Amino acid sequence: MRGATTPELFDSCSSCPIRHRAVCARCEPDELDQLEDIKYYRTFEAGQPIVWAGDRMEFVASVVAGVATLTQTMEDGRRQMVGLLLPSDFVGRPGRETAKFDVTAVNTVTLCCFRRKPFEHMLETTPHVAQRLLEMALDELDAAREWMLLLGRKTAREKIASLIAIIARRASIDGADTTDGVSVELPLTREAMSDYLGLTLETVSRQISALKKDSVILLDGNRRVLIPDMRALLDETGDDDDGGMLN
Amino acid sequence: MRGATTPELFDSCSSCPIRHRAVCARCEPDELDQLEDIKYYRTFEAGQPIVWAGDRMEFVASVVAGVATLTQTMEDGRRQMVGLLLPSDFVGRPGRETAKFDVTAVNTVTLCCFRRKPFEHMLETTPHVAQRLLEMALDELDAAREWMLLLGRKTAREKIASLIAIIARRASIDGADTTDGVSVELPLTREAMSDYLGLTLETVSRQISALKKDSVILLDGNRRVLIPDMRALLDETGDDDDGGMLN
DNA sequence: CCGGCACTTTGACACGGATCAAAGGCCAGA
DNA sequence: TCTGGCCTTTGATCCGTGTCAAAGTGCCGG
């Protein structure tokens, strides 16, 4: 998941065709050449599996465009999302032979893939890549821990409010005007939201309706959400801070 | 949290007084000198707070002995454990000024602390330390994701069985005989278990009683658990694999 | 324009776990 | 040995969310 990384890093390496934080920030030209040799792009359509848990992983990758999910499934079909991958997020784990989770495209996804073995080699020889990856992994760990609080202790209503707040925050990273009403496109179906939140899709639907009835949110179609008052939404999340949404 | 790191790494640097994976494996003598300068030990008694969320963090640390927890608390008192820290686990985050979670000693805890600023400096100049920390962070991320499945989708009974299995696995890393019955000391109170699992302590108690009634576990006092048949316990966890418990 | 399909909403009811309450162990200190 | 406090167990009841069912909505292709 994308954490609180500085936008400058993202753009600091404009000569790199990847233009991607994970491997691009602070890259030297010869390192970029090295990357060029081992990288390739792949595109996946909405709903398509990217990897299945247990598959052999030949690559690690960066999400360039689109949204993908990381999920775990139990034998009887119970499913839990454990990662939501947005552009700039990293897929795969250096040093791991077989995937541990299912990765699925939510909409059209473009990945910038790196062959795993050479990428691992580069990790060992190019210190700042390991440092950058460490930073990203720690951001994800923080996000995972917030998510654990949500899963373990929040009510269905708080979960929905939190999810909308999380998506709104990410969508408005480059500071869209927050003063009077924010509009967000939910990239997920009700079912995917339920997998994220540890609920059923019926409960998700009911709680969204309830928040609408109470004018905390407005719906435009059933994917676009209008937030008339961000403060009011944040009050519904159960969090004591604003998650960096307010000034 | 401790992941599937090789025991060799732990012992590979016997000259290092820290004898600790995070910073010790593959250390060169001069790097060890550098570490010596910035390290100090601290001990905390059972129940004592180690840091509060929001506190300024002057150090990062390794757990040398004892058990500590990472928890988040909501305004109304709802609490969720988000990390269980055992010996060799890492505390704190390089680059972070203020703690994000409460850290509490469960029993007597000894930390090997490193002053944060110099440690961060060493991270930048000593590549293999960043690589090692990356590996540890990714292990923790995997553990956090398993935990998310537990919190979001497992029943109370499955949660309890999973927790006992997790503790049993860690306790018997150096291959205690698994063939006929394993005995594990639970380091946590029922309340701490409930914080781990996203349950109430009453439910924890009831489900432990139920597993006992069904002879999946036996109790010796109420902290020591005997597992007559590991396979039977693992069947109760809802997981499809054995989590590396069986041969 | 219509039909079909996937997604969503709403309703009725069931059930697992929370809540409230009280009693039972266990250990440290007097 | 007795006492007080903390942890744990057990019981009764309640409520939030899951489950099952059916109807509504919107979109794409024919």
Side-chain angles (χ1 to χ4, degrees):
Chain A
M1 214 179 296
R2 178 163 54 187
T5 36
T6 55
E8 307 85 67
L9 280 182
F10 186 81
D11 294 315
S12 67
C13 190
S14 56
S15 63
C16 171
I18 309 169
R19 289 180 64 79
H20 191 272
R21 290 181 200 165
V23 291
C24 179
R26 289 170 289 177
C27 276
E28 299 298 328
D30 57 327
E31 293 164 6
L32 292 179
D33 290 344
Q34 200 181 340
L35 280 171
E36 276 309 307
D37 290 345
I38 63 170
K39 90 163 201 240
Y40 54 99
Y41 290 91
R42 293 184 65 185
T43 299
F44 298 85
E45 294 310 314
Q48 217 182 331
I50 296 175
V51 286
W52 295 112
D55 280 2
R56 193 177 167 76
M57 281 291 276
E58 302 295 352
F59 62 89
V60 295
S62 278
V63 178
V64 174
V67 178
T69 60
L70 224 56
T71 57
Q72 275 189 94
T73 308
M74 296 171 70
E75 306 169 54
D76 60 6
R78 279 176 285 174
R79 202 160 22 139
Q80 177 63 52
M81 197 187 298
V82 296
L84 183 60
L85 303 170
L86 301 184
S88 93
D89 284 334
F90 195 79
V91 182
R93 173 175 170 162
R96 169 167 292 156
E97 295 282 330
T98 53
K100 202 164 175 188
F101 307 104
D102 297 326
V103 186
T104 313
V106 169
N107 44 33
T108 304
V109 170
T110 305
L111 295 185
C112 175
C113 304
F114 303 91
R115 293 193 296 118
R116 194 166 58 80
K117 284 289 180 197
F119 187 86
E120 287 167 9
H121 176 72
M122 201 192 60
L123 254 192
E124 280 167 22
T125 55
T126 314
H128 75 248
V129 174
Q131 285 162 24
R132 183 72 196 96
L133 246 40
L134 173 61
E135 210 176 313
M136 294 178 72
L138 291 172
D139 283 343
E140 282 205 62
L141 199 49
D142 285 342
R145 284 169 169 161
E146 299 277 353
W147 200 339
M148 286 169 58
L149 175 65
L150 178 150
L151 290 171
R153 295 302 186 191
K154 288 188 179 179
T155 64
R157 184 181 174 101
E158 288 168 340
K159 286 178 176 181
I160 296 288
S162 299
L163 175 58
I164 296 173
I166 288 169
I167 293 175
R169 175 149 51 101
R170 292 187 163 191
S172 67
I173 273 187
D174 320 286
D177 187 13
T178 300
T179 48
D180 84 335
V182 186
S183 169
V184 201
E185 188 77 21
L186 299 178
L188 304 174
T189 64
R190 299 289 184 262
E191 185 176 29
M193 289 188 228
S194 74
D195 288 340
Y196 187 112
L197 301 170
L199 297 169
T200 59
L201 70 141
E202 293 95 329
T203 299
V204 169
S205 177
R206 271 186 253 272
Q207 295 299 335
I208 288 179
S209 298
L211 286 174
K212 187 176 68 177
K213 186 169 69 62
D214 298 344
S215 303
V216 179
I217 59 172
L218 303 171
L219 293 188
D220 172 12
N222 51 32
R223 285 299 186 87
R224 180 157 289 276
V225 175
L226 295 155
I227 306 162
D229 177 6
M230 185 57 69
R231 181 78 264 158
L233 178 66
L234 294 172
D235 284 345
E236 298 284 347
T237 63
D239 297 328
D240 41 354
D241 68 340
D242 61 18
M245 291 285 316
L246 266 29
N247 307 322
Chain B
M1 212 178 298
R2 177 163 53 187
T5 36
T6 54
E8 306 85 65
L9 280 183
F10 186 81
D11 294 316
S12 67
C13 189
S14 56
S15 65
C16 171
I18 308 168
R19 289 181 63 80
H20 192 275
R21 291 181 196 164
V23 291
C24 180
R26 290 171 287 177
C27 275
E28 298 298 329
D30 58 326
E31 292 164 7
L32 292 178
D33 289 345
Q34 201 182 340
L35 279 171
E36 276 309 307
D37 290 345
I38 65 170
K39 92 164 201 241
Y40 54 98
Y41 290 92
R42 292 183 65 183
T43 299
F44 298 85
E45 294 310 315
Q48 216 182 330
I50 295 175
V51 286
W52 295 112
D55 279 2
R56 192 176 169 75
M57 282 290 276
E58 302 295 353
F59 62 88
V60 296
S62 278
V63 178
V64 175
V67 178
T69 61
L70 226 55
T71 58
Q72 274 189 93
T73 308
M74 297 171 69
E75 304 170 55
D76 60 6
R78 279 176 285 173
R79 201 159 23 138
Q80 177 64 51
M81 197 187 298
V82 295
L84 183 59
L85 303 170
L86 300 185
S88 94
D89 285 333
F90 195 80
V91 183
R93 173 174 170 164
R96 169 167 291 155
E97 295 282 330
T98 53
K100 203 166 174 188
F101 308 104
D102 297 326
V103 186
T104 312
V106 169
N107 44 32
T108 304
V109 169
T110 305
L111 295 185
C112 175
C113 304
F114 303 91
R115 293 193 296 119
R116 193 166 57 79
K117 283 290 179 197
F119 186 87
E120 286 165 10
H121 176 72
M122 200 191 60
L123 254 191
E124 280 166 22
T125 55
T126 314
H128 75 248
V129 174
Q131 285 162 25
R132 184 71 196 94
L133 281 178
L134 173 60
E135 208 177 313
M136 293 177 73
L138 292 172
D139 283 343
E140 280 205 62
L141 199 50
D142 285 342
R145 284 169 168 161
E146 299 277 354
W147 200 338
M148 286 169 57
L149 175 65
L150 178 149
L151 289 172
R153 295 301 186 192
K154 289 188 179 179
T155 64
R157 185 181 174 100
E158 289 169 339
K159 285 178 175 182
I160 296 289
S162 299
L163 176 58
I164 295 174
I166 288 169
I167 292 176
R169 175 149 49 101
R170 293 185 163 192
S172 66
I173 273 188
D174 320 286
D177 186 13
T178 300
T179 48
D180 84 336
V182 186
S183 170
V184 200
E185 188 77 21
L186 298 178
L188 305 174
T189 64
R190 300 288 184 261
E191 185 176 31
M193 290 187 227
S194 74
D195 287 340
Y196 187 112
L197 301 170
L199 297 169
T200 59
L201 70 139
E202 293 95 329
T203 299
V204 169
S205 177
R206 271 186 253 272
Q207 296 299 335
I208 288 179
S209 298
L211 287 174
K212 186 176 69 177
K213 185 169 71 62
D214 299 343
S215 303
V216 179
I217 58 172
L218 303 171
L219 293 187
D220 172 14
N222 50 34
R223 286 298 185 87
R224 179 157 288 277
V225 175
L226 294 156
I227 306 163
D229 177 7
M230 186 57 69
R231 180 79 264 158
L233 178 66
L234 293 172
D235 284 345
E236 297 284 348
T237 63
D239 296 329
D240 41 353
D241 69 338
D242 61 17
M245 290 285 317
L246 267 29
N247 306 323

